[in-house]
Amino acid sequence: MNIAELITLLEELVIDPFDQGEFVFKFMAVFDPPPATLTKMKKAAQKELDPGAELLWPKKLLYRVAEPGQAAPTIDALKAVKIAKNKAPRFLVSTDGEEFSALDTKLDVSLHCDFDQLSKEFSFFLNLAGIETYEALEEAKADVKASVSLSKLYDEIIRTNPDWHTPQLRHALNQFMTRILFCLFAEDTGSFKKDLFVRSVNDLGGADGQQVQSLLRLIFQMMNKPKDQRADFPPHIPAFPYVNGGLFADDLPVPAFSKRAKRLLVEAAKLDWSQINPDIFGSMIQAVVDPALRGDLGMHYTSVPNIMKVLQPLFLMSLEEELEQAIGHRNERSLLKKLLGRISKIRVFDPACGSGNFLIIAYRELRKLEMRIFQRMDELGGGTLTWREQSGVKLSNFYGIEIADFAAETAKLSLWIAEYQMNQQFKNLFGEAPPDFPLKEGGHIHTGNALRLDWQEVCPKPDDEEAETYICGNPPYYGRQKRTPEQREDLEIVFNNFLKKHKNLDYVAAWYLKAAQYMQKIKSEAAFVATNSICQGQHIALLWPLIFNLDAEIGFAHQSFKWKNLATKNAGVTCVIAGLRNGVNGSSRLFEDGVCRKVSHINPYLIEMPDIIVTSSRDPLNKLPPMQFGNMAYCNGNLILSASEKDHLLEHFPETARLIKRLYGSQELIKGIERYCLWISDANLPLARSISLIVERIEKVRKFRLGSSDKGGVKLAERSHQFREMNEAKEHAIIVPSVTSDLRPYVQVGLLGPDDIISNLAFGIYDAPIYLFALISSALHIVWIKAVCGKLKTDYRYSNTLGYNTFPIPPLTDDHKQTLEDHAWNIIAARENHPGKTIAWLYDPQTMPDNLLAAHKALDDTLEKIYIGRPFKNDTERLEHLFKMYAEMTAKKEV
């Protein structure tokens, strides 16, 4: 059963007038139990089910009718019955016809809703339909469970207070949820007295939740008052501690609570919040206020390994090296104190901080390093350190900008949670820790658009000249087609004084430029996780000269890596990390496949080379025959024929054979799709006009072109029987797809005959020497294309002006060309040994035949010996050599 069918059936279910027996039967039938089980259920459903009667689907579901208003308590009762333990049902279900409650016993997640809203909760029961939902890895289960619990509470609060879902009250609601999160965490970590919060809500909130609103307001007010200012509080309100820290400073409204909202809050409080990972949970909890994200809990969380790829080379490796140099030195104690002083002056600024992942991990790593130093100083003698002398790592040294209000509030809270957890680690090591309350100054998290704020106002220049500021994060990546009007305006604002042709830049490029500007004014370094497009194609020529002109250089870089996080389905993004520093001309760190090597310089392509930038050229710099775009039909499909349309035309008008040719674009070449076109020369126009079906099509093309807003398109109506271009081969044509998968190890070149036409979705070289087929099919060429041409999503986008025309080649003798031509024919022959197989199959790394791979390897060995006398060691060496050749080639042209 698919999800659409499930939704339909559940909708039908709740439309029917309520009847207990009919409900049970129809609800179970939705999930298609075995026939024998369904028969038993149908018989049971025909009987009147009195309160207390149960119906079981072994290992799947246990149902009991509820007394009016008792659906949720009935679930509690079902947990304890013997059958629930022996038969292990996945779901416990109960309803009184008005309210509906259920429990997923595997995930320990509850559902409470009105019965007539059941169809909206279909995802809760997907497992019954054989659809397994995302389940987090072990380390994130507590965070997922907590996020789901709060999502349900949030929804119920909105249902009870619909006016709270307006922009006017959104901040108040976000801050309310943040305060609730704080109370839940504080209670389970011992910061509050045991069960102080949950008992207060449960015992004093009223049977139907009517007193929860006033109770929570009093509790929040109390936590903003020192003990000597609490004389006016009712004596029955328990003594909550004075929290301070700004979290409870504002006297904000509290939403009204329903009976269900109270129960959901109590259920949430019963979870173990001490197991929460602030770096994971902060991201997941954003789904609370964005229901569209709830199916992806954790999908877009920036994992700790990815964060560490930024933080380690940005500043942590430097600190580790300083610690290593200090240990064993004759002045070790003074060097350790100096290092502690340096750590205390480090500021971390994330201008796209989300819920604070980078800030949290940076804080945690600095605290862990600091504690290692304390331990080492203890080993050297001089007494045990106490909390009074402890951490110089202050939350006030952490800065962030976040556009989403709730995420910004969560970031502040997550930093406090991280501080508490690190204080506990300190206590475990040294016996004492600072008191939990009152809270000290928190992180400086600003809500707003980072591309429109002055970063120097958010993270101002420090008074201490020795302070170090590190900018980091994972800003959003959006290509030109995915940006909103507001985001397009953001780019206009950032690049207005620098670059007119900024529209083709990825959205994340603006963060790099803003960081370089900030670095000019304030001593700092920066690094972001970004889409790898910023180090490819036209981004190189557009973005990086601007950054270099601001006196910045790349101090470290991670070459392309696949995005990974805790979700079972990882986002399909290929990323890079480029770290910026002010030009210091020191060594740099380059990370490739997890291996770090020190290099003299890193260029924008993230290789060890000077800042050589490949720019597009209209003519081949390498003196090769020109490669052209294919032919654009510009016909609204009327000059294009499917295989069946072609057959129909030939069956009724055999004379049209000379008007029809096979059409190839990228997909037709790679996937073997059969497509044809009407290819009508002026000489054949009288024949075309004698055939009514073709005349019809030509007239449709004429009308389509006349309706164009483009003057050139209107002009084309004068020859509506033809493509815009009419390029064709006399003997053969080499076709190169415009887009190809990044998984395929070579460019998938094709060789076409004179009766084949290349569409505008591919490139063509007409009647060119066959050795070009070999050059374009080589490992050297795909490495060059990957570096300089850029991508469409994760696929490589070929460019004739940027990739082919600039491809460096050494002087080729006639013998070289003949040998390369022989290799080209060998590759074609290897393909033909697998009749019926598509290019996609032939070049899929999982299915690529051995003989075809061997043919390519033989070509690579021969070609690379022409280049340097031996095969290259790896792609890095290939690319470095090609860039040297490019620099020489362009230098000669300038002369």
Side-chain angles (χ1 to χ4, degrees), residues 76 182 246 303 334 439 452 481 518 554 707 812 852 866 878:
D76 292 336
F182 177 84
S303 67
S334 62
L439 296 174
R452 303 196 186 197
Q481 303 303 320
Y518 182 92
I554 300 174
L812 298 175
L852 180 57
I866 295 173
R878 288 184 179 95

Side-chain angles (χ1 to χ4, degrees), residues 719-755:
R719 54 182 187 90
S720 51
H721 59 291
Q722 293 181 332
F723 279 44
R724 187 179 70 181
E725 296 85 16
M726 293 293 287
N727 297 318
E728 57 185 323
K730 295 177 181 177
E731 295 182 4
H732 62 260
I734 294 172
I735 178 174
V736 180
S738 56
V739 177
T740 184
S741 168
D742 66 337
L743 298 177
R744 297 180 185 127
Y746 298 96
V747 177
Q748 300 90 65
V749 191
L751 186 64
L752 306 181
D755 290 328

Side-chain angles (χ1 to χ4, degrees), residues 641-649:
L641 302 172
S642 66
S644 59
E645 288 171 330
K646 181 262 297 184
D647 292 341
H648 177 78
L649 200 55

